[in-house]
Each structure stands twice: as C-alpha cells, then as structure tokens.
C-alpha cells in the first residue's frame, strides 16, 4: 500500500496548485483510510453538466494498482448515458480489469470520468433513455432532459 | 525500503525544480518507487522486475503503451540499476543542500549582485556555504576543480612542514614520526612475509620523492586526498559493478506450472522439491509456487546481484504472512485466540494490522505480551543452564572414560 500513500502525497500537492481545468475539485481518503476515497468533480464547460458538481466514491482493492479502482457516482445524482442513475455505476473501459493499466492513478481515473461527461458513448448505455435521445441526435432534448434532472429535489443544492 | 515517503515533488520547492523530472523518470510506473531491478520491455519501457512480472501474470500487455508483452521478452537493465543506486545515495544530500539553500538565500540574488565575477566561481561559492554545515561529501563533488586544487594545496602545504625521512628498508619517504612509530615494524614484517608495503602508500611517497617542492607540481596532477579516495572508490563501485555485470544464468529459470491437471499430492511434491512449505489448501500452495517462481526468476534472471535462495524463501514467507493477515483476518491462531480472551482481542488485532508499517506501536506491543516474553526468556535461560550442565556431565564422563582406559 505504499504506492497509494505516494499517490496521496501527489494528490495533495496537485490539488494545492489549483488545476481547475481538469475538473477535479477534491479527492480525499475517507477518515484516513487510504482504500476508500471521496471525490468531487465539476462538470466540463460546453456540456449540460457545466456549472454543477458531482460526488464520486472510489474504493481500492487489495491488489491495487494491479486491479482498477471501483468508481461510482453518488446514487441518483448523475444523468448520463453511461452511468446507472439508480446505483451510480459507471461504464468506462479503463475501469474494467481488461483495459486497466497499473501505470494510471486516481487522478487519471477522475480525468477520464470528467472526459466521459463530455463524450457520452450511447453504444454501451446504462441509462437507456438518454442513450436513445443521443442516438437519434436530438441535442435539444438531450440538454433539456439533463437540465431537468439537475433541478430534481435531490440535486437542489447544486442549482 | 525508505522510511520516509519520497516523491518527485520533493524537488518542486528546491533551488533546482527541474530535478523533479529526473526523479520522476527513475521511478517505476507501477509502484512509484525508484526502480528496483529494472527490466526493459521490447516496446522500450522500464519497470521493476517484480512489478511487471506480477502484472503480466494477469494481463500480457505493457502498462504504458498497451502493446502485447510477454514475460520472456523482458531484459534486465544494469545501467539504469546502477544509475538509480548512485542517484538514491545522492538524493538526501541533494535535497538537503538544494532545499536549505533556497530557503536561506536565493542564488539568483547572489549572482546578480556580483555580476562582474565569473559565474562558475560564484556557483561554487554559493554551494559551499550551506554544504559545509550539512554535508562535506557533496561539496567535494559539486565544487569546481580550482577549488579542489586549492584545498589540496592547503593540505599538502601542511604536510610538507613535517620532517620527512627515508625508510632504510623500502627506501621511501615518510614523516619521521610515522616512520619511527609504525612504518619500520610494518616494513620489516612485510619483508619477512615477502610482500611489499601497501600500494597506496607507495604511490603517495613516490609523488613526494618526485617533487620535493610539491606546490607547482600538484596543480598539474592533483593526487586524490584520502577522503576523495574514498569517494571515488565508492562511485567507482557502481561503475565497476556495471562494467563487470553480465547476464549470467547460473541457475535455471523456474518454469510456469499448469496446476489444473495436477493432484494435491503432486503439487505438494513439486513444492517439497523446491524446499517450500507444503501447508495450506490447494489454492494456497499454487499461489505460493507462483509467487516463488516470480521471486526466483526476478532474482536469478534480472538482478545484478542475486540474493541467496534462503533470502528468497524469507521474502516468500513475509509475503504470505502479510497476505494472510489482510485476507483472512478471522483465521484464529493460538496466540490471537489467547489474546482475544485476555484483552478483548481488539487492541491485539489493531496492533497486528500495523505490524509491518511505520505506525506500529512497539511499546504497547511489548506491554501486551509482557507476560509471554518473560516466560520465553525464563524458558530460554532454563534451557541454556540445562545444556551447560549436560555438557559438563558428558565432559566429565569422557574424562572418566579416558582415565579408566
């Protein structure tokens, strides 16, 4: 686990330098346990998510970095075609065992998640409604639907 | 292993922040430590031997470029290994000097205020100030030749004041005191043994003979001072190690074994033939062999200085112990069972979980097992006494036997 301790040091250093352009707002271990982390990312600009912040939880397994971290959004907060709205589960190739590389770290993962918000992949959906709208190319409906989700009561603190 | 967590960002606040890059490049991308036994992939990337072997077990591709990669195509990189060894030994000094300097005074200001002087000399002066207090070894390394020669001259001048005399046996010059006290005896014994005095001394005295006025000569060909001698031999150690390295395979690479078709007794046999413990379930034994195979191949195929088999077995044991403590927390061995009863078990478990890291609370561990430790010491003492008396008895018996014969 010395690797994750090193990452922690790097993350603290990184966040203190204020890299807003990556969209990573905060990333810290839960109660000093380096195998469970909470993160907050901000929605990238020129997407319907711009101006909102999203909470994620990351958990590392025993053999990290040989196995990928498990990353989920806070349940019921993320309307995205590759995210299960109910559970927060994310469908992202680099988070699967087959595509993960131990050369990546937690900041890479969050970066990839932020990118996913800007580049939804409707071919492998977990949220079928949004994926269908994207497939037919109805951009207006896509933006409005997400904006509608954003104003749901559970997200009200972000509005 | 490093006690402190080191990271490339340590240099970010130093006088030379560019060193961050160097520091980063010398680290393994899997464990983020400095490369231990670095190996090169065909795609040109370098990892710790153990890290990459462990990863290739589950996925045969390079973690950096995702190209296909097989364990057999890894090649060791002796040069990088030695570069890192040198860098690692240098790093604390480097940090010490560079960080304290940037905190006390900015070198840029110094340079600006004496802009009419030579830059080289400036840098030497700026570096020597903090290092003289922090570490003298580094100042020698970074200072420029003129400064080195000067300090040499000073030392040389001091030595020249001593009275020299020729040794009647080896006909070389030594300070009178040293000659009378030790050298004559040394020379005589050496001669009687048929060998010559130490070559280092010989060289030194030759130089003195050639130049009775050593000052101008020394400038042309400075002899290394004793401290530098030491330094040089140390830095040469890594150079020599690299030059003498060769990919020798004096031990056979351990093969990968397909255990699926083997019975438990066959697996047990396989482990026993390597001298490994045969306890545990089938799964345990397979994992044990796999890890040992990795340790073995990394050690005997990649390492520049392979360690002994017994050391490998020790590593295997500690790996297994750490795995078991984290995986099967509920596994009850006798001690933990006793402790659970006596102390509610919680503090023991908590201590045990920290056993291998820096947080380990040595004092409460001692107090927790105070009784047991005492018992063990008592037992050991008793055994020692028993053994002694037994020896005495047998010695007596032998004597008696001899006298009777």
């Amino acid at each position: 686990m010395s690797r994750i301790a090193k990452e922690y040091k790097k993350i603290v250093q990184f966040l203190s330098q204020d890299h807003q352009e990556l969209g990573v707002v905060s990333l810290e271990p839960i109660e000093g346990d380096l195998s469970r982390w909470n993160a907050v990312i901000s929605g990238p600009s020129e997407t319907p998510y711009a101006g909102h912040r999203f909470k994620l939880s990351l958990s590392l397994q025993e053999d990290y970095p040989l196995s990928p971290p498990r990353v989920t959004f806070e349940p019921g907060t993320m309307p995205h075609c590759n995210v299960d709205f109910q559970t927060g589960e994310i469908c992202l190739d680099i988070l699967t065992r087959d595509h993960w590389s131990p050369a990546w770290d937690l900041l890479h993962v969050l970066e990839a998640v932020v990118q996913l918000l800007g580049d939804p992949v409707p071919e492998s959906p977990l949220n079928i409604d949004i994926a269908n709208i994207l497939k037919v190319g109805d951009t207006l409906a896509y933006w409005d639907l997400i904006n509608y989700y954003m104003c749901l009561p559970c997200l009200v603190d972000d509005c | 292993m490093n006690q402190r967590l080191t990271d490339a960002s340590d240099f970010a606040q130093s006088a030379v922040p560019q060193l961050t890059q160097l520091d980063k490049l010398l680290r393994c991308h899997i464990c983020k430590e400095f490369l231990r036994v670095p190996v090169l992939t065909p795609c040109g990337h370098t990892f710790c031997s153990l890290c990459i072997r462990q990863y290739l077990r589950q996925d045969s591709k390079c973690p950096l470029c995702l190209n296909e990669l097989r364990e057999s195509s890894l090649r060791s990189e002796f040069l990088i290994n030695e570069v890192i060894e040198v860098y690692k030994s240098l790093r604390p000094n480097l940090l010490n000097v560079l960080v304290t300097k940037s905190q006390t005074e900015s070198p840029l200001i110094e340079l600006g205020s004496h802009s009419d002087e030579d830059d080289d000399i400036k840098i030497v002066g700026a570096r020597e100030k903090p290092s003289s207090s922090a570490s003298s070894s580094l100042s020698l390394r970074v200072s420029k030749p003129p400064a080195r020669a000067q300090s040499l001259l000073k030392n040389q001048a001091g030595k020249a004041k001593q009275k020299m005399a020729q040794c009647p046996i080896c006909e070389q010059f030594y300070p009178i005191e040293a000659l009378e006290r030790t050298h004559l005896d040394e020379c005589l014994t050496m001669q009687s043994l048929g060998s010559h005095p130490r070559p280092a001394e010989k060289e030194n005295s030759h130089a003195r003979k050639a130049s009775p006025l050593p000052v101008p000569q020394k400038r042309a060909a400075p002899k290394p001072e004793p401290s530098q001698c030491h330094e040089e031999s140390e830095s040469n150690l890594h150079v020599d190690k690299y030059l003498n390295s060769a990919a020798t395979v004096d031990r056979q690479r351990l093969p990968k074994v397909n255990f699926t078709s083997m019975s438990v007794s066959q697996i047990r046999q396989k482990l026993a033939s390597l001298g490994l413990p045969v306890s545990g379930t089938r799964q345990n034994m397979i994992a044990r062999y796999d890890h040992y195979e990795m340790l073995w191949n990394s050690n005997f195929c990649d390492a520049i200085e392979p360690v002994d088999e017994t050391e490998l077995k020790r590593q295997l044991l500690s790996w297994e112990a750490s795995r078991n403590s984290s995986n099967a927390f509920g596994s009850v061995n006798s001690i933990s069972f006793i402790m659970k009863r006596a102390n509610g078990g919680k503090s023991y478990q908590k201590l045990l979980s920290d056993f291998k890291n820096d947080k380990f609370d040595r004092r409460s561990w001692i107090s927790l097992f105070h009784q047991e430790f005492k018992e063990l010491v008592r037992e050991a003492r008793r055994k020692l006494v028993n053994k002694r008396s037994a020896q005495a008895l047998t010695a007596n018996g032998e004597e008696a036997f001899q006298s009777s014969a």
Side-chain angles (χ1 to χ4, degrees), chain A residues 88-128:
Chain A
E89 186 193 337
I90 304 171
C91 173
L92 183 58
D93 58 351
I94 69 154
L95 295 179
T96 62
R97 233 187 152 86
D98 291 342
H99 293 89
W100 168 253
S101 155
W104 294 325
D105 58 27
L106 296 184
L107 282 171
H108 286 114
V109 168
L110 289 187
E111 215 179 304
V113 172
V114 172
Q115 257 179 38
L116 183 72
L117 296 189
D119 301 306
V121 188
E123 285 76 31
S124 55
L126 280 175
N127 188 328
I128 300 181

Side-chain angles (χ1 to χ4, degrees), chain B residues 2-5 354-362:
Chain B
N2 295 336
Q3 287 299 314
R4 241 186 100 240
L5 280 183
D354 286 343
F355 196 89
K356 296 197 84 189
N357 28 352
D358 301 341
K359 286 187 294 180
F360 178 59
D361 188 353
R362 193 181 290 263

